[in-house]
Short mmCIF file of all heavy atoms in Angstrom, two decimals:
data_model
loop_
_atom_site.label_atom_id
_atom_site.label_comp_id
_atom_site.label_asym_id
_atom_site.label_seq_id
_atom_site.Cartn_x
_atom_site.Cartn_y
_atom_site.Cartn_z
N ALA A 16 -46.86 -63.58 25.85
CA ALA A 16 -47.39 -63.51 27.22
C ALA A 16 -48.12 -64.77 27.62
O ALA A 16 -48.64 -65.51 26.80
CB ALA A 16 -48.33 -62.33 27.35
N HIS A 17 -48.13 -64.96 28.89
CA HIS A 17 -48.96 -65.95 29.54
C HIS A 17 -50.41 -65.51 29.35
O HIS A 17 -50.71 -64.32 29.33
CB HIS A 17 -48.57 -65.93 31.01
CG HIS A 17 -49.34 -66.86 31.85
ND1 HIS A 17 -50.59 -66.57 32.30
CD2 HIS A 17 -49.03 -68.07 32.33
CE1 HIS A 17 -51.02 -67.58 33.02
NE2 HIS A 17 -50.10 -68.50 33.05
N ILE A 18 -51.34 -66.45 29.22
CA ILE A 18 -52.77 -66.12 29.13
C ILE A 18 -53.14 -65.21 30.29
O ILE A 18 -52.70 -65.43 31.41
CB ILE A 18 -53.60 -67.42 29.19
CG1 ILE A 18 -53.65 -68.04 27.80
CG2 ILE A 18 -55.01 -67.16 29.72
CD1 ILE A 18 -54.42 -69.31 27.73
N ASP A 19 -53.91 -64.15 29.97
CA ASP A 19 -54.43 -63.27 31.01
C ASP A 19 -53.47 -62.16 31.47
O ASP A 19 -53.85 -61.34 32.27
CB ASP A 19 -54.85 -64.07 32.26
CG ASP A 19 -56.36 -63.94 32.48
OD1 ASP A 19 -57.04 -63.64 31.48
OD2 ASP A 19 -56.81 -64.12 33.61
N ALA A 20 -52.23 -62.17 30.98
CA ALA A 20 -51.30 -61.13 31.39
C ALA A 20 -51.70 -59.80 30.74
O ALA A 20 -51.31 -58.73 31.20
CB ALA A 20 -49.87 -61.49 31.01
N GLY A 21 -52.47 -59.92 29.65
CA GLY A 21 -52.94 -58.69 29.00
C GLY A 21 -52.44 -58.54 27.57
O GLY A 21 -52.41 -57.43 27.04
N LYS A 22 -52.08 -59.65 26.94
CA LYS A 22 -51.57 -59.55 25.58
C LYS A 22 -52.59 -58.93 24.64
O LYS A 22 -52.24 -58.07 23.82
CB LYS A 22 -51.19 -60.95 25.06
CG LYS A 22 -50.34 -60.88 23.81
CD LYS A 22 -50.08 -62.24 23.23
CE LYS A 22 -51.27 -62.65 22.42
NZ LYS A 22 -51.10 -63.96 21.82
N THR A 23 -53.84 -59.36 24.75
CA THR A 23 -54.87 -58.84 23.86
C THR A 23 -55.04 -57.34 24.06
O THR A 23 -55.07 -56.57 23.08
CB THR A 23 -56.21 -59.54 24.14
OG1 THR A 23 -55.98 -60.95 24.12
CG2 THR A 23 -57.24 -59.19 23.11
N THR A 24 -55.12 -56.92 25.32
CA THR A 24 -55.31 -55.49 25.60
C THR A 24 -54.10 -54.69 25.11
O THR A 24 -54.26 -53.65 24.46
CB THR A 24 -55.51 -55.28 27.11
OG1 THR A 24 -56.45 -56.26 27.58
CG2 THR A 24 -56.06 -53.91 27.41
N VAL A 25 -52.90 -55.18 25.37
CA VAL A 25 -51.70 -54.48 24.90
C VAL A 25 -51.71 -54.38 23.38
O VAL A 25 -51.48 -53.31 22.81
CB VAL A 25 -50.41 -55.20 25.39
CG1 VAL A 25 -49.18 -54.63 24.69
CG2 VAL A 25 -50.26 -55.08 26.90
N GLY A 104 -50.90 -67.80 23.81
CA GLY A 104 -50.65 -67.67 25.24
C GLY A 104 -50.62 -69.00 25.95
O GLY A 104 -50.32 -69.07 27.12
N VAL A 125 -44.97 -59.71 28.05
CA VAL A 125 -45.88 -59.00 28.94
C VAL A 125 -46.10 -59.81 30.22
O VAL A 125 -46.34 -61.02 30.15
CB VAL A 125 -47.25 -58.76 28.25
CG1 VAL A 125 -48.21 -58.03 29.19
CG2 VAL A 125 -47.06 -57.98 26.97
N ASP A 127 -48.01 -59.94 34.19
CA ASP A 127 -49.07 -59.42 35.05
C ASP A 127 -48.39 -58.82 36.28
O ASP A 127 -47.67 -59.52 36.99
CB ASP A 127 -50.00 -60.58 35.41
CG ASP A 127 -51.13 -60.14 36.34
OD1 ASP A 127 -50.91 -59.24 37.17
OD2 ASP A 127 -52.22 -60.72 36.24
N ASN A 155 -47.27 -55.21 33.14
CA ASN A 155 -48.59 -54.61 32.89
C ASN A 155 -49.44 -54.60 34.16
O ASN A 155 -49.05 -55.17 35.17
CB ASN A 155 -49.24 -55.47 31.79
CG ASN A 155 -50.53 -54.87 31.26
OD1 ASN A 155 -50.68 -53.65 31.20
ND2 ASN A 155 -51.47 -55.73 30.89
N LYS A 156 -50.60 -54.02 34.06
CA LYS A 156 -51.62 -54.07 35.11
C LYS A 156 -51.19 -53.43 36.42
O LYS A 156 -51.61 -53.87 37.48
CB LYS A 156 -52.02 -55.54 35.39
CG LYS A 156 -52.63 -56.27 34.21
CD LYS A 156 -53.41 -57.48 34.69
CE LYS A 156 -53.82 -58.37 33.52
NZ LYS A 156 -54.65 -59.49 33.95
N LEU A 157 -50.32 -52.40 36.33
CA LEU A 157 -49.87 -51.78 37.57
C LEU A 157 -51.00 -51.04 38.29
O LEU A 157 -50.87 -50.65 39.45
CB LEU A 157 -48.69 -50.85 37.32
CG LEU A 157 -47.37 -51.59 37.03
CD1 LEU A 157 -46.21 -50.62 36.95
CD2 LEU A 157 -47.08 -52.65 38.10
N ASP A 158 -52.14 -50.90 37.63
CA ASP A 158 -53.29 -50.26 38.28
C ASP A 158 -54.07 -51.24 39.16
O ASP A 158 -54.94 -50.87 39.90
CB ASP A 158 -54.25 -49.73 37.21
CG ASP A 158 -54.80 -50.87 36.35
OD1 ASP A 158 -53.99 -51.55 35.69
OD2 ASP A 158 -56.02 -51.11 36.37
N ARG A 159 -53.76 -52.53 39.04
CA ARG A 159 -54.55 -53.53 39.78
C ARG A 159 -54.21 -53.56 41.26
O ARG A 159 -53.08 -53.30 41.65
CB ARG A 159 -54.29 -54.93 39.20
CG ARG A 159 -55.33 -55.39 38.22
CD ARG A 159 -55.07 -56.82 37.80
NE ARG A 159 -55.41 -57.77 38.85
CZ ARG A 159 -55.02 -59.05 38.85
NH1 ARG A 159 -54.29 -59.52 37.86
NH2 ARG A 159 -55.38 -59.84 39.82
N MET A 160 -55.18 -53.96 42.05
CA MET A 160 -54.95 -54.17 43.48
C MET A 160 -53.85 -55.20 43.65
O MET A 160 -53.91 -56.26 43.02
CB MET A 160 -56.23 -54.74 44.11
CG MET A 160 -57.19 -53.70 44.57
SD MET A 160 -56.82 -53.28 46.28
CE MET A 160 -57.70 -54.58 47.13
N GLY A 279 -46.39 -50.38 32.94
CA GLY A 279 -47.56 -49.60 32.58
C GLY A 279 -48.85 -50.33 32.88
O GLY A 279 -48.87 -51.32 33.61
N SER A 280 -49.91 -49.80 32.31
CA SER A 280 -51.22 -50.43 32.43
C SER A 280 -51.91 -50.25 31.09
O SER A 280 -52.29 -49.14 30.72
CB SER A 280 -52.04 -49.76 33.53
OG SER A 280 -53.41 -50.06 33.32
N ALA A 281 -52.05 -51.33 30.37
CA ALA A 281 -52.68 -51.23 29.05
C ALA A 281 -54.12 -50.78 29.20
O ALA A 281 -54.59 -49.92 28.46
CB ALA A 281 -52.59 -52.57 28.33
N LEU A 282 -54.79 -51.35 30.19
CA LEU A 282 -56.20 -51.04 30.39
C LEU A 282 -56.40 -49.55 30.67
O LEU A 282 -57.33 -48.93 30.16
CB LEU A 282 -56.76 -51.86 31.55
CG LEU A 282 -58.28 -51.87 31.68
CD1 LEU A 282 -58.91 -52.61 30.52
CD2 LEU A 282 -58.70 -52.47 33.01
N LYS A 283 -55.51 -48.98 31.48
CA LYS A 283 -55.65 -47.56 31.82
C LYS A 283 -54.85 -46.68 30.86
O LYS A 283 -54.56 -45.52 31.19
CB LYS A 283 -55.20 -47.34 33.27
CG LYS A 283 -56.10 -48.03 34.30
CD LYS A 283 -57.44 -47.31 34.43
CE LYS A 283 -58.57 -48.19 34.90
NZ LYS A 283 -58.47 -48.62 36.29
N ASN A 284 -54.48 -47.22 29.73
CA ASN A 284 -53.81 -46.44 28.68
C ASN A 284 -52.53 -45.77 29.13
O ASN A 284 -52.27 -44.62 28.83
CB ASN A 284 -54.77 -45.35 28.16
CG ASN A 284 -56.07 -45.92 27.68
OD1 ASN A 284 -56.08 -46.87 26.90
ND2 ASN A 284 -57.19 -45.40 28.16
P1 GDP B 1 -54.52 -62.12 27.33
O1 GDP B 1 -55.19 -63.37 27.75
O2 GDP B 1 -53.08 -62.10 27.70
O3 GDP B 1 -54.75 -61.74 25.92
O4 GDP B 1 -55.13 -60.95 28.28
P2 GDP B 1 -56.27 -59.89 28.03
O5 GDP B 1 -55.74 -58.71 27.34
O6 GDP B 1 -57.49 -60.55 27.49
O7 GDP B 1 -56.48 -59.45 29.54
C1 GDP B 1 -56.93 -60.34 30.52
C2 GDP B 1 -57.76 -59.56 31.52
O8 GDP B 1 -56.94 -58.61 32.17
C3 GDP B 1 -58.90 -58.80 30.89
O9 GDP B 1 -60.01 -58.82 31.77
C4 GDP B 1 -58.34 -57.39 30.76
O10 GDP B 1 -59.34 -56.41 30.80
C5 GDP B 1 -57.46 -57.31 31.99
N1 GDP B 1 -56.34 -56.38 31.79
C6 GDP B 1 -55.49 -56.28 30.74
N2 GDP B 1 -54.60 -55.30 30.94
C7 GDP B 1 -54.91 -54.75 32.15
C8 GDP B 1 -54.35 -53.70 32.91
O11 GDP B 1 -53.39 -53.02 32.52
N3 GDP B 1 -54.94 -53.45 34.11
C9 GDP B 1 -55.99 -54.17 34.58
N4 GDP B 1 -56.50 -53.84 35.76
N5 GDP B 1 -56.54 -55.15 33.88
C10 GDP B 1 -56.01 -55.45 32.68
#
Side-chain angles (χ1 to χ4, degrees):
H17 179 280
I18 277 179
D19 244 23
K22 195 186 82 180
T23 309
T24 315
V25 169
V125 179
D127 179 327
N155 188 33
K156 298 200 190 183
L157 287 187
D158 62 298
R159 262 185 74 194
M160 272 270 277
S280 160
L282 193 68
K283 294 287 154 70
N284 305 310

